[in-house]
Amino acid sequence: QVQLRESGGGLVQAGGSLKLSCAASGRTASTWNLAWFRQAPGTVRTIVGGITSNGGETIYADSVKGRFTVSRDNAKNTVYLQMNSLKVEDTAVYYCAGKRFGSISTWAGSYDSWGQGTPVTVSP
């Protein structure tokens, strides 16, 4: 199993940038596909972006394409979410998720391990 811990959330003005980090612990962490999801109050948890274990493939939600970038450093067992040109509607709790087998997916139910989440608030 992999344990995930997010950091880097906070308050930022619209148009600004923020970088989230997710530290993965566990002997096999570098072999897991990792993804970022977000959940605003009263909504379901949805994909933001994901990356394969070797970093060769990424996926993004249409709403963040061109603004957000997912990357990973397997030497540090860390995945990042660089968020630029933030909008008020990006306000949510952001979660890191790990998927042991199979390809990266947009479906939250297919992920095996979750972090506790880090809140991001974008002010007008």
Side-chain angles (χ1 to χ4, degrees), residues 33 51-52 57 59 99-106 110-111:
N33 294 326
I51 189 166
T52 53
E57 181 185 351
I59 60 171
K99 192 171 187 288
R100 180 68 179 92
F101 300 108
S103 58
I104 46 174
S105 171
T106 61
S110 67
Y111 287 78

Side-chain angles (χ1 to χ4, degrees), residues 41-87:
T43 69
V44 298
R45 196 170 294 188
T46 59
I47 188 76
V48 176
I51 189 166
T52 53
S53 58
N54 65 1
E57 181 185 351
T58 55
I59 60 171
Y60 294 96
D62 288 342
S63 58
V64 307
K65 282 181 181 176
R67 300 189 298 124
F68 291 11
T69 302
V70 180
S71 62
R72 67 189 294 166
D73 184 341
N74 281 344
K76 297 180 179 179
N77 280 346
T78 301
V79 63
Y80 304 97
L81 179 65
Q82 177 67 49
M83 304 185 292
N84 299 327
S85 302
L86 281 161
K87 303 177 181 180

Side-chain angles (χ1 to χ4, degrees), residues 15-36:
S17 298
L18 206 58
K19 186 173 186 177
L20 306 183
S21 299
C22 172
S25 60
R27 290 187 299 109
T28 61
S30 64
T31 67
W32 284 53
N33 294 326
L34 298 173
W36 290 94

Side-chain angles (χ1 to χ4, degrees), residues 6 20 22 35-39 45 48 93-97 114-118:
E6 305 92 339
L20 306 183
C22 172
W36 290 94
F37 285 77
R38 66 185 181 187
Q39 187 170 18
R45 196 170 294 188
V48 176
V93 177
Y94 283 70
Y95 296 90
C96 182
W114 291 85
Q116 293 300 306
T118 185

